[in-house]
Amino acid sequence: MTLDPALRERIDTLLQGNRVVLFMKGRPDMPQCGFSAKATGILGGLGVDFAHVDVLSDPEIREGIKAYGNWPTIPQLYIDGELVGGSDIIEEMANSGELNQALGLPPVDRTPPKDLTVTPAAAQMLRQALADAGADTALALAIDARFQPRFQIAAASDDAIAVECEGVRIQFDPASARRADGITIDWVDDIRGKGLAIDNPNAPRPVQALTPAEADARVRAGSLTLVDVRPPEERAQASLNAPFEVLDGDARHTLEALPKDTALAFLCHTGQRSRQAAEHFRGLGFGEVYNVEGGIDAWAAQVDPSLPRY
């Protein structure tokens, strides 16, 4: 593909204006492919600021960036105007410490996780799986920024961050190792399905239910930030008589940048959309997240009878 000069100049401007740029599918808070999710998870885990370009919303860039760096796939990471590569290379460099060096970050902490437990049931299944996979294999465990685990059978590596537990070698990338202290790996066969499961004490607490009366009291006491997730036209039908934030426009990014110990409660019409929003913020690492049960409809019944019900 021949790159149009105007498009080349546009990409040049992007790279000159931002030290670290990730061309990806979707946004960091909502990646649209697994490879983009892996790349943003690694960068997010390092705490590095980076610009992103959603190629799905810009077809010209989507094709042009492939020709620009002669790299056929998305995502693509650029540092200081130089192409680093895709998600696999990003992962390899993160594990080796080269990515920290390229970004000017402190060396990778390669301390293995502490106090890891593998239950007898899980150990039995894992030993058998590793034996079936052949010699010199290990369990690779990745824990992303949302504390979602991913298990794989991988080649055993002397260079990996690893622990031995119940006769099972478990290997981690550096970011996952920091999130794995104190975890318990179990084998389950219940309503959740059949497979490995993790109890991770480092993960944010589940979204908790809050009644409208409780939310109103805490907001007025200044110990809770209330977020009305309804669109403007719906809020106009029944407007809260308490301080609240919204998710419109840049307001979402402002909320996402709040300290992770900020107590957040989400409200919608009946409590369904707000639960989805609450789960999103919990996934970002906020430790105290609530859903106002029953939404504005229950608020009208329990707190403010003057509110119209729709």
Side-chain angles (χ1 to χ4, degrees), residues 15-304:
L15 297 179
Q16 290 165 8
N18 301 276
R19 180 169 181 251
V20 184
V21 183
L22 182 69
F23 295 86
M24 62 178 293
K25 294 180 180 179
R27 309 188 311 268
D29 63 339
M30 195 175 294
Q32 296 299 307
C33 79
F35 298 110
S36 292
K38 182 198 291 187
T40 57
I42 292 169
L43 293 173
L46 292 175
V48 64
D49 292 328
F50 64 96
H52 77 279
V53 179
D54 178 9
V55 301
L56 297 181
S57 64
D58 195 331
E60 188 179 48
I61 287 284
R62 181 176 186 176
E63 295 306 315
I65 194 61
K66 297 176 184 177
Y68 184 90
N70 194 26
W71 190 270
T73 58
I74 304 293
Q76 295 183 23
L77 176 66
Y78 280 78
I79 300 176
D80 293 324
E82 298 292 331
L83 175 64
V84 172
S87 61
D88 287 345
I89 291 178
I90 295 169
E91 183 175 41
E92 290 171 7
M93 291 181 64
N95 291 341
S96 69
E98 292 178 82
L99 188 58
N100 284 55
Q101 185 176 1
L103 292 166
L105 299 174
V108 171
D109 180 358
R110 302 187 64 82
T111 306
K114 302 184 294 293
D115 303 322
L116 187 146
T117 300
V118 179
T119 67
Q124 180 180 353
M125 299 301 294
L126 285 168
R127 287 194 296 265
Q128 184 61 56
L130 293 171
D132 292 343
D136 298 323
T137 55
L139 176 70
L141 172 56
I143 303 173
D144 67 19
R146 294 174 179 264
F147 286 87
Q148 296 300 308
R150 184 178 79 251
F151 296 97
Q152 290 180 308
I153 301 296
S157 170
D158 292 337
D159 296 328
I161 301 172
V163 295
E164 295 276 350
C165 191
E166 298 294 330
V168 177
R169 179 179 174 84
I170 307 171
Q171 299 181 167
F172 302 86
D173 62 83
S176 297
R178 302 285 66 73
R179 301 177 183 127
D181 285 342
I183 66 170
T184 297
I185 301 175
D186 196 8
W187 178 266
V188 298
D189 185 1
D190 55 24
I191 193 171
R192 293 171 289 178
K194 182 185 294 186
L196 295 171
I198 281 185
D199 177 20
N200 192 333
N202 310 296
R205 287 183 295 170
V207 172
Q208 303 171 72
L210 203 63
T211 68
E214 291 169 334
D216 182 60
R218 288 196 56 180
V219 168
R220 296 185 188 283
S223 65
L224 182 73
T225 298
L226 181 63
V227 185
D228 191 337
V229 308
R230 297 175 298 159
E233 60 273 14
E234 195 175 335
R235 294 198 300 268
Q237 295 183 60
S239 182
L240 283 167
N241 63 348
F244 66 91
E245 304 294 335
V246 298
L247 295 180
D248 308 345
D250 292 336
R252 173 189 290 270
H253 301 298
T254 300
L255 287 170
E256 290 176 346
L258 289 172
K260 294 300 187 287
D261 59 355
T262 304
L264 299 173
F266 295 83
L267 173 141
C268 64
H269 184 200
T270 59
Q272 301 304 311
R273 287 170 290 172
S274 55
R275 175 164 288 279
Q276 294 176 358
E279 289 290 354
H280 168 74
F281 277 80
R282 174 184 175 271
L284 294 178
F286 285 85
E288 188 178 354
V289 183
Y290 301 91
N291 184 46
V292 180
E293 296 296 304
I296 194 71
D297 193 60
W299 196 288
Q302 299 177 25
V303 178
D304 184 3

